[in-house]
Every structure is written in structure tokens, then in C-alpha cells.
């Protein structure tokens, strides 16, 4: 595995695809920024400072969610913690005021400054190491121009396409449970009685990107992701509605290119099988269930799989 990753480069992983660059102006607002990310069905976009003629970071959905939770907490006069937010209440007028205030926030107020550049010639082993520090890397040419972006999903997809060349590497054949690939304890969930904003407060406080929704029998029912914040563009007031109603509305929206993310992998599935499934379905995580059931007790992400290989 190590030899394969050191042999191949970022250019190999990106293939011949051209970058359809989606960028955001540094003088833009969060209202417009969220619209761009939602329209393009992406988690983040680079932000460009036209006056300084330079890239200054990324606008991400995770930081947008943090800002929204912060505004709700500020309006209620409470801390932006799950315990405080879930006890708070807002009137319809207050929610409208929060929406307006959010829409006018400059994108630079919530910028991800983890601008860690790489090059087309960088090998994948080094690139995986860099991706432990950032969710995505800007790929620059010799003149410093942004020519592409590389993420964990980029490399997972490349490994899927070249799976036969990887052979029977033990890092791929081992099961998730035996290799301890993923997180097997403390599955973070949202109760049916929680509101959507309560769920997002928990997401922000713990520093994760999703919450599992569990049925009364313990089976996996659904998933609240930071990507679902796009629904707030259509119905901002739904953030104070029950989380199950909000997630149902997201699923009914049928966003082009989107998939239902509440999928699962058995704990006895191999790392290789899980890698292929993540790539084929084009999702970032699978909930880990007990063999033969839909009862989740953990979660495995594309990062967990990728970082287990090198």
C-alpha cells in the first residue's frame, strides 16, 4: 500500500477532469455564500480577495452552521452549547430577525483559514498526511495559480478505481472491527423530541458533522448532516421544528446529485469493501451496525478508511 501511494500523484488521482471552480468573493455575505454552496451541492468553496489578488481560505458549511447556532444562542441570551440551546425558546419574529442577521454576515467572519496548498506532483502518501490537517487542499501550479482541489474523497475514489492493483493488502482485507477502523463507542444521536437547532448545537459543541436519528427499536432511521443546513434557505423557521420533520423535508427536496446519507456497514465488513462502497455511493460516512441488523453503534468515514491505510 505504501509503495502504491508513494508511486502515484495528485495528478493521477484527479485524472483528466477539469476543475469547474466554484469560488466566493471575500466581500460576499453568508446568505449568498450558503446559496452558492447549496446550489452546487458542495461542502465548501475557496474565497478570493479581488483587491489583494489572492485566495484567503474556504467558506464551509460547518462554519455556517456554527454561526447560525451562535446567532440563535445570542438572541436567547444563552451559551452556544447543546444544554443551553435545547432549553431556549424563540418567537417567530425572533427567528426572522436571526435569518436577516445571518444573511448579512460577511463571509470573512467565518472563514476557514486552513489554506494548505499542494501540487499536482505531490505523491498520495504525503497528500494523505496533509489531509489529516485539513478537509481539502488547494492544488497550485508552478506560478501559484489554483488549478484544482483534492480531498479525502478524491483519493478514496482513485483507490476504488485502482482496487485490483492494490492486491490482497492486509490493510484492505481486515474487518472494520478487527482493524478498529472508525469510531465504535459513543455514537452521537438526536432524540425525536429535539429541534433541529438543538441537533446542530450538539454537532458544533462536539465537533462532528452529523447526528444519527434512531427509531424506538434501536434501528437507524436517518441522519442530520451539516449539509442539510441547505434546507434552511427554503424554510429558516424549520430550524426550530422537530429534527425528524426537518430531515424528512430534506429528503423530499430531492436535491440533484444528493443521496440519502443514512446508510450503514456491518462491523465485519472489510476495510476494502467499505472503501469501495463509500466511493460508489458517493457519501462521506457509513454508520457501523451489528452484523445482520440495522442497529448502529459506531460510524466510519472516508477519512477513517484512508488514514488506516497509511
Amino acid at each position: 500500500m505504501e509503495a502504491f501511494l508513494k508511486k502515484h500523484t495528485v495528478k493521477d488521482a484527479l485524472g483528466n477532469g477539469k476543475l469547474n471552480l466554484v469560488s466566493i468573493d471575500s466581500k460576499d455575505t453568508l446568505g449568498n455564500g450558503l446559496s452558492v454552496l447549496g446550489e452546487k451541492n458542495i461542502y465548501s468553496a475557496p474565497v478570493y480577495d479581488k483587491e489583494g489578488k489572492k485566495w484567503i481560505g474556504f467558506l464551509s458549511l460547518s462554519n455556517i452552521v456554527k454561526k447560525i447556532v451562535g446567532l440563535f444562542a445570542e438572541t436567547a441570551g444563552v451559551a452556544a452549547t447543546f444544554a443551553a440551546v435545547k432549553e431556549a425558546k424563540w418567537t417567530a419574529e425572533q427567528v426572522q430577525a436571526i435569518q436577516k442577521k445571518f444573511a448579512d454576515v460577511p463571509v470573512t467572519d467565518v472563514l476557514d483559514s486552513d489554506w494548505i496548498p499542494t501540487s499536482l506532483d505531490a505523491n498520495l502518501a504525503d497528500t494523505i498526511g496533509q489531509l489529516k490537517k485539513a478537509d481539502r487542499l488547494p492544488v497550485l501550479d508552478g506560478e501559484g495559480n489554483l488549478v484544482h482541489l483534492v480531498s479525502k474523497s478524491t483519493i478514496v475514489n482513485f483507490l476504488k478505481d485502482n482496487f485490483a492493483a492494490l492486491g490482497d493488502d492486509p490493510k484492505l482485507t481486515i474487518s472494520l472491527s478487527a482493524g478498529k477502523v472508525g469510531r465504535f463507542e459513543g455514537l452521537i444521536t438526536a432524540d425525536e423530541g429535539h429541534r433541529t437547532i438543538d441537533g446542530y448545537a450538539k454537532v458544533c459543541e462536539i465537533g462532528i458533522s452529523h447526528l444519527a436519528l434512531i427509531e424506538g427499536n434501536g434501528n437507524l432511521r436517518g441522519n442530520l448532516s451539516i449539509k442539510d443546513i441547505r434546507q434552511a434557505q427554503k424554510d429558516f423557521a424549520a430550524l426550530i421544528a422537530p429534527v425528524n420533520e426537518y430531515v424528512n423535508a430534506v429528503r423530499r427536496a430531492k436535491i440533484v446529485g444528493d443521496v440519502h446519507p443514512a446508510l450503514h456497514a456491518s462491523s465485519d465488513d472489510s476495510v476494502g469493501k467499505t472503501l469501495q462502497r463509500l466511493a460508489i455511493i458517493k457519501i462521506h460516512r457509513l454508520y457501523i451496525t451489528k452484523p445482520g441488523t440495522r442497529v448502529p453503534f459506531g460510524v466510519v468515514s472516508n477519512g477513517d478508511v484512508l488514514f488506516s491505510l497509511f
Side-chain angles (χ1 to χ4, degrees):
M1 180 63 67
E2 182 176 351
F4 180 89
L5 293 172
K6 287 187 174 179
K7 173 184 176 182
H8 291 281
T9 65
V10 168
K11 184 177 181 179
D12 296 331
L14 292 172
N16 296 320
K18 299 291 185 181
L19 173 63
N20 181 17
L21 182 62
V22 177
S23 64
I24 295 172
D25 191 284
S26 62
K27 293 190 178 299
D28 216 334
T29 62
L30 289 189
N32 290 334
L34 178 57
S35 294
V36 171
L37 297 180
E39 178 185 341
K40 299 300 181 180
N41 195 25
I42 54 179
Y43 281 88
S44 65
V47 177
Y48 190 69
D49 178 357
K50 290 182 179 178
E51 293 182 1
K53 297 181 180 179
K54 61 181 180 179
W55 299 97
I56 57 175
F58 288 91
L59 176 65
S60 68
L61 288 178
S62 59
N63 279 0
I64 285 176
V65 169
K66 288 178 186 176
K67 187 63 180 180
I68 290 175
V69 170
L71 289 173
F72 269 90
E74 178 184 289
T75 300
V78 301
T81 63
F82 170 66
V85 169
K86 74 183 181 70
E87 299 298 330
K89 299 186 185 309
W90 300 269
T91 65
E93 291 75 16
Q94 286 177 315
V95 173
Q96 290 177 351
I98 293 169
Q99 181 178 15
K100 185 178 186 306
K101 190 171 184 178
F102 162 76
D104 293 336
V105 173
V107 297
T108 49
D109 281 11
V110 299
L111 207 60
D112 266 346
S113 57
D114 56 349
W115 189 264
I116 304 175
T118 188
S119 69
L120 290 169
D121 296 328
N123 69 61
L124 295 184
D126 291 342
T127 303
I128 291 174
Q130 288 182 300
L131 284 169
K132 292 179 179 179
K133 306 173 186 176
D135 290 332
R136 65 330 237 170
L137 307 173
V139 182
L140 308 183
D141 63 15
E143 298 178 355
N145 299 310
L146 179 63
V147 295
H148 227 299
L149 299 172
V150 62
S151 67
K152 292 183 281 287
S153 294
T154 307
I155 301 179
V156 166
N157 289 334
F158 178 71
L159 294 177
K160 183 265 296 182
D161 292 340
N162 292 272
F163 200 77
L166 301 176
D168 295 326
D169 191 295
K171 291 185 177 181
L172 291 172
T173 57
I174 194 170
S175 70
L176 295 175
S177 57
K180 297 182 178 176
V181 178
R183 285 151 284 172
F184 289 82
E185 296 180 358
L187 179 67
I188 310 300
T189 64
D191 295 340
E192 290 189 6
H194 288 161
R195 299 164 302 185
T196 305
I197 194 64
D198 303 336
Y200 277 134
K202 183 180 284 191
V203 162
C204 295
E205 183 175 352
I206 298 174
I208 55 178
S209 61
H210 57 90
L211 293 174
L213 306 182
I214 308 299
E215 295 176 342
N217 59 8
N219 285 345
L220 181 65
R221 180 186 185 279
N223 177 82
L224 175 68
S225 165
I226 59 169
K227 203 170 186 181
D228 297 329
I229 196 64
R230 297 171 299 179
Q231 182 65 21
Q233 294 175 262
K234 301 178 180 178
D235 186 5
F236 199 83
L239 289 171
I240 58 173
V243 65
N244 285 341
E245 292 181 12
Y246 186 90
V247 170
N248 288 340
V250 170
R251 303 299 165 245
R252 289 194 300 269
K254 296 181 180 179
I255 298 171
V256 175
D258 206 7
V259 296
H260 195 296
L263 301 173
H264 58 95
S266 173
S267 58
D268 58 7
D269 284 347
S270 70
V271 171
K273 177 181 178 180
T274 304
L275 181 150
Q276 290 180 297
R277 193 161 183 231
L278 285 165
I280 291 170
I281 306 175
K282 297 182 180 179
I283 56 177
H284 289 184
R285 79 190 66 83
L286 293 166
Y287 288 99
I288 302 172
T289 58
K290 299 173 183 178
T293 77
R294 293 186 63 247
V295 178
F297 65 95
V299 63
V300 59
S301 68
N302 53 13
D304 295 326
V305 168
L306 197 59
F307 301 151
S308 76
L309 303 178
F310 183 75

